[in-house]
Amino acid sequence: MAILLTDLTAHADLIGNLVVRDLKTRYRGSVLGLLWTLLNPLFMAAIYIFFLTLLSRDIASQYEHIIIGVFAWQFTVQCINAGMNAITGNASLVKKVYFPRMILPLSVNLSALANFWLTLIVQWALLFAILAVTKHDTPRLLTLWVPLLSLYHLVFNLSLSLLVAAANVFFRDTQHLVGLLLSAWFFMSPVMYPLEMVERVAAGHPWIAQVYMLNPMTAILTAYRALQVPGTVFPWTAASVAGLLLPVALIAVAIRVFQRTQRAFSDLL
Amino acid sequence: MNVIEARNLGKWFRRQGLGSPTLLGSLPRWLRGAKPEGFWALRELNFSIRKGQTVGVIGPNGSGKSSLLGLVAQTMTPTEGSVETVGRISALLELGAGFHPDLSGRENVFLSAAILGIPREDIRKRFDHIVDFAGLRDFIDMPVKHYSSGMYVRLAFSVAIEMNPDILLVDEVLAVGDMAFQMKCLDRIRAFQRQGKTILLVSHALETVEEFCSDVLLIHEGRLIMQGDPTEVISTYLRQYMVRIGLLNVEEHGTREIEMRSIRLLDEDGRESATFRSGGAMTVEIDYAAQRRIERPVFGFNIKTGNGFYVFGSNTQIARVPIDAVEGNGRIRLRIEPLTLKQGRFFLSLAVHSWDHAVQYHRQEDLHPFLVKDASGDKGVFQLNCNWEHRASS
């Protein structure tokens, strides 16, 4: 682990260059490049809000929860999708030049983080507006901790990213499988509904709520909301704390798996 | 000091079908419990390379040369054994690796420098030089997707030669680009040599390998066949594998009623050699053994270039040096002096046949490669004796 860290810091210049390459090529070509990044989660949120309002006024009245959920969920999805092609999309580099392979998934995750921070500005503007109109309130001062939480969120995203990056080298249909899992996971996490809804559904079966809370995405989304929306609290139970800490174990496993499997990357590309 | 040392180095590859491996595609194999099939690209390689040496790696296509470079560059991991290296390694392999089409030439210079491990500060200092060397001053802020392929390669190469490694790996770079570009490549390699860098050079251009390398590895079917003096290794390679390349038909046939048992090529000092000086002397000694008494046999020879061009041929009949008869053992000496061949690689064929050419007793086609080194600047295959005269008319 220590060796890996020194190896990565020795290549800080390369990581920086790759992040800049990623951001530049994303925003280059049109002003809309930057705009699309901001519009994407915005449209998603608008679609969910509109159709959820049709289904149930109860959920949809909590627009601020949906906004926070969708923006954070998009961050994770972006990291996973970019990680998927981090190795396979750079075959010529991996085969011809030596550098720590982890740099490739790491740099796309960092550029996704930069991207997420940009969308945060839009998110905060919306939160101010929504809270002012619907609740005559403002976001909590704790909102200032959101960038720090996003770093922890990044650790979680990076661990998933490393796993799919390696898996996709061995099995090119990983992306199909991951696509399926992502849509299931979307509904299993409180992205477009608040946590209380699950508590109500699982009222008769407490173990369901326990299992539900083990999902790190649940813990992270709830933490985002607890920091920003007045009146929401993070439920400090054993299961939720376990869910919150799970990424720490996951990143250790992911790094080990990635380091083990990278020996075979250039053979299979 | 050894800077590259391979011990029992081996690399095994899974035999892959068309396309890439998939999860669904692998299921049937897992259910059968079958082991993946594969092959050894390299096996049981043992060699060491000293600091400052330029070492060539030659062998037919698919012999494992590029895998070897991959293992030394650490882009591949050995399946067995190990290869240890000392110092920073850079590879002049894939020009333009990491170039992004949407970025400008300027941005790509910095990006590709970072990938090749060239410090940012060095590139900033040398930026103008790099751009001028590539001849792209007017286009440097244009996205490289609008570059011609020549401009693309020139820029990539100009960045790549800024690398300052302890060990440089070169894989067939010299095969791309025009003459001027290749000359630049070779100049750069010479500069590396002067700085005492270690160079590992993979090339099919045997002349280049011979000119640059002090040591050559011959690899065939993943095994290290030979390591040593370039001339010797290259001669062996040519003799054994030229037939596969298809330009010459190295072969031996005949009734063997007279058999050429041993052949020696001797230089001016009477030493056995594979390299001869243009303008010097070459002696071919043939020890023969005849199974029975044979009247008036004819010994002949011819010389061809590496690409099959017939340079010269003669025999004892044409030369009017008839041999009455042979019986038992004997020796034929053919002396060529002056050797008027110019710099290059040549192949000697030898034959012994009957006076009327009806019976071929023993023929060795293109079996004896040799090199001619030429200190003069004259060009061509053959030395013509020339005299220049100049007389001013007023």
Side-chain angles (χ1 to χ4, degrees):
Chain A
M1 202 68 159
I3 300 168
L4 178 68
L5 272 180
T6 41
D7 218 9
L8 288 181
T9 42
H11 288 83
D13 193 26
L14 175 56
I15 298 173
N17 264 287
L18 288 174
V19 172
V20 170
R21 169 181 91 166
D22 216 39
L23 292 173
K24 267 187 183 161
T25 51
R26 190 187 316 213
Y27 301 135
R28 174 126 338 158
S30 62
V31 188
L32 284 179
L34 176 60
L35 215 53
W36 279 122
T37 335
L38 304 178
L39 284 178
N40 195 22
L42 208 59
F43 276 15
M44 294 293 282
I47 292 165
Y48 291 135
I49 288 172
F50 178 75
F51 285 99
L52 286 173
T53 314
L54 292 183
L55 287 172
S56 146
R57 288 200 174 277
D58 185 26
I59 306 172
S61 61
Q62 306 197 322
Y63 299 130
E64 63 278 7
H65 286 256
I66 298 176
I67 297 283
I68 293 172
V70 168
F71 275 66
W73 173 258
Q74 289 285 326
F75 177 31
T76 295
V77 169
Q78 207 178 69
C79 287
I80 292 175
N81 286 339
M84 188 85 70
N85 296 316
I87 303 295
T88 48
N90 285 300
S92 68
L93 271 188
V94 172
K95 287 172 88 150
K96 297 289 182 184
V97 191
Y98 174 76
F99 52 84
R101 273 73 183 90
M102 199 172 286
I103 283 179
L104 292 169
L106 179 65
S107 63
V108 293
N109 272 263
L110 288 175
S111 73
L113 178 71
N115 207 48
F116 179 57
W117 282 350
L118 270 175
T119 62
L120 272 184
I121 298 168
V122 179
Q123 181 190 312
W124 282 329
L126 282 172
L127 281 183
F128 266 102
I130 290 170
L131 286 175
V133 171
T134 61
K135 301 202 169 118
H136 306 289
D137 207 344
T138 54
R140 286 182 164 168
L141 199 61
L142 284 171
T143 300
L144 296 174
W145 289 94
V146 165
L148 199 67
L149 176 61
S150 71
L151 287 180
Y152 186 67
H153 187 180
L154 180 76
V155 170
F156 178 54
N157 291 349
L158 180 62
S159 51
L160 297 177
S161 205
L162 289 175
L163 292 174
V164 296
N168 202 32
V169 176
F170 290 88
F171 307 108
R172 289 311 148 80
D173 49 355
T174 301
Q175 46 195 324
H176 302 297
L177 183 66
V178 168
L180 288 176
L181 293 177
L182 272 179
S183 25
W185 192 27
F186 174 77
F187 288 101
M188 284 159 63
S189 312
V191 180
M192 53 172 187
Y193 50 83
L195 194 57
E196 297 87 67
M197 205 191 88
V198 180
E199 282 161 1
R200 250 177 289 144
V201 171
H205 311 277
W207 63 272
I208 292 184
Q210 299 286 313
V211 173
Y212 185 88
M213 287 308 296
L214 282 176
N215 174 3
M217 205 62 209
T218 305
I220 288 170
L221 288 172
T222 310
Y224 273 122
R225 284 173 184 144
L227 287 180
Q228 298 175 85
V229 182
T232 47
V233 284
F234 188 83
W236 293 102
T237 64
S240 69
V241 171
L244 192 62
L245 293 179
L246 204 60
V248 178
L250 197 61
I251 189 75
V253 171
I255 287 173
R256 187 153 301 178
V257 168
F258 190 88
Q259 296 289 78
R260 275 281 170 79
T261 52
Q262 67 172 348
R263 299 162 56 92
F265 284 175
S266 61
D267 300 358
L268 292 165
L269 286 173
Chain B
M1 187 180 73
N2 288 339
V3 289
I4 303 177
E5 189 147 3
R7 282 196 211 90
N8 192 36
L9 184 63
K11 180 70 191 173
W12 186 87
F13 281 110
R14 181 179 296 193
R15 207 176 290 280
Q16 294 193 41
L18 293 170
S20 305
T22 58
L23 199 59
L24 286 181
S26 308
L27 273 179
R29 209 191 62 230
W30 287 344
L31 293 176
R32 282 201 314 274
K35 286 231 164 65
E37 282 178 40
F39 62 96
W40 287 95
L42 286 174
R43 194 130 208 225
E44 289 166 13
L45 257 68
N46 288 289
F47 64 87
S48 53
I49 292 172
R50 286 192 314 280
K51 186 170 171 5
Q53 267 190 312
T54 301
V55 177
V57 182
I58 60 172
N61 285 330
S63 54
K65 301 187 296 293
S66 297
S67 299
L68 177 60
L69 280 203
L71 289 168
V72 175
Q74 297 179 342
T75 54
M76 282 183 191
T77 319
T79 312
E80 60 177 32
S82 67
V83 55
E84 276 165 33
T85 55
V86 181
R88 234 162 60 91
I89 305 173
S90 287
L92 201 58
L93 313 167
E94 181 114 317
L95 291 173
F99 267 28
H100 195 291
D102 286 333
L103 296 180
S104 72
R106 181 187 302 276
E107 290 161 332
N108 270 312
V109 166
F110 284 99
L111 176 63
S112 118
I115 289 168
L116 296 173
I118 308 170
R120 193 176 182 79
E121 206 39 52
D122 291 11
I123 286 294
R124 197 169 288 147
K125 259 185 259 161
R126 304 270 296 161
F127 187 78
D128 287 331
H129 176 82
I130 293 169
V131 176
D132 288 337
F133 192 81
L136 290 172
R137 180 144 296 286
D138 297 336
F139 305 97
I140 197 65
D141 288 309
M142 191 196 264
V144 295
K145 66 180 168 194
H146 300 310
Y147 279 24
S148 73
S149 54
M151 291 158 77
Y152 192 89
V153 170
R154 280 202 322 261
L155 186 64
F157 180 73
S158 309
V159 179
I161 59 168
E162 292 296 322
M163 291 186 299
N164 191 21
D166 302 310
I167 300 172
L168 181 72
L169 309 178
V170 186
D171 189 2
E172 290 296 357
V173 170
L174 311 168
V176 299
D178 55 14
M179 277 306 280
F181 176 71
Q182 291 184 18
M183 288 299 134
K184 278 183 176 177
C185 273
L186 295 176
D187 280 347
R188 184 61 195 168
I189 289 173
R190 278 189 203 98
F192 273 123
Q193 283 182 320
R194 280 195 299 275
Q195 292 162 21
K197 311 276 186 190
T198 311
I199 301 171
L200 198 57
L201 177 80
V202 168
S203 183
H204 282 298
L206 299 174
E207 322 291 330
T208 313
V209 171
E210 184 153 28
E211 186 186 340
F212 280 91
C213 301
S214 52
D215 199 31
V216 175
L217 305 174
L218 170 57
I219 293 180
H220 179 52
E221 288 173 351
R223 306 273 175 164
L224 180 61
I225 305 289
M226 210 178 164
Q227 174 178 14
D229 173 66
T231 309
E232 219 171 288
V233 177
I234 290 173
S235 293
T236 307
Y237 171 55
L238 287 171
R239 195 155 38 219
Q240 292 184 6
Y241 303 111
M242 210 57 179
V243 60
R244 289 168 205 270
I245 301 171
L247 291 171
L248 297 168
N249 42 345
V250 179
E251 59 173 359
E252 205 172 355
H253 56 86
T255 64
R256 308 284 175 119
E257 284 162 287
I258 303 172
E259 188 173 4
M260 295 182 281
R261 287 271 167 86
S262 96
I263 314 291
R264 285 176 303 280
L265 305 186
L266 308 175
D267 65 12
E268 295 155 294
D269 306 322
R271 279 193 311 252
E272 227 180 314
S273 175
T275 313
F276 298 87
R277 191 173 60 79
S278 180
M282 175 166 120
T283 304
V284 183
E285 257 182 17
I286 307 165
D287 287 346
Y288 68 83
Q291 287 174 1
R292 57 179 177 83
R293 182 182 163 82
I294 290 174
E295 306 278 341
R296 295 207 294 174
V298 178
F299 285 85
F301 79 101
N302 73 52
I303 292 172
K304 292 181 209 154
T305 64
N307 46 24
F309 173 70
Y310 194 109
V311 178
F312 186 81
S314 184
N315 62 32
T316 51
Q317 190 177 41
I318 298 168
R320 296 175 195 284
V321 197
I323 298 164
D324 289 339
V326 294
E327 191 170 15
N329 296 340
R331 175 177 290 180
I332 299 281
R333 282 170 67 96
L334 161 69
R335 188 167 172 83
I336 304 171
E337 187 179 17
L339 185 67
T340 47
L341 298 171
K342 303 294 291 174
Q343 173 101 14
R345 183 177 319 289
F346 299 91
F347 291 80
L348 174 72
S349 306
L350 294 170
V352 48
H353 52 79
S354 63
W355 188 258
D356 57 3
H357 292 243
V359 187
Q360 197 73 250
Y361 299 122
H362 191 184
R363 186 173 182 86
Q364 297 182 331
E365 194 75 42
D366 303 329
L367 204 59
H368 309 284
F370 64 94
L371 276 165
V372 175
K373 290 207 165 147
D374 184 12
S376 82
D378 300 336
K379 305 280 184 253
V381 179
F382 228 83
Q383 181 70 49
L384 299 180
N385 288 319
C386 323
N387 287 296
W388 297 87
E389 274 182 29
H390 169 242
R391 214 174 285 147
S393 50
S394 57

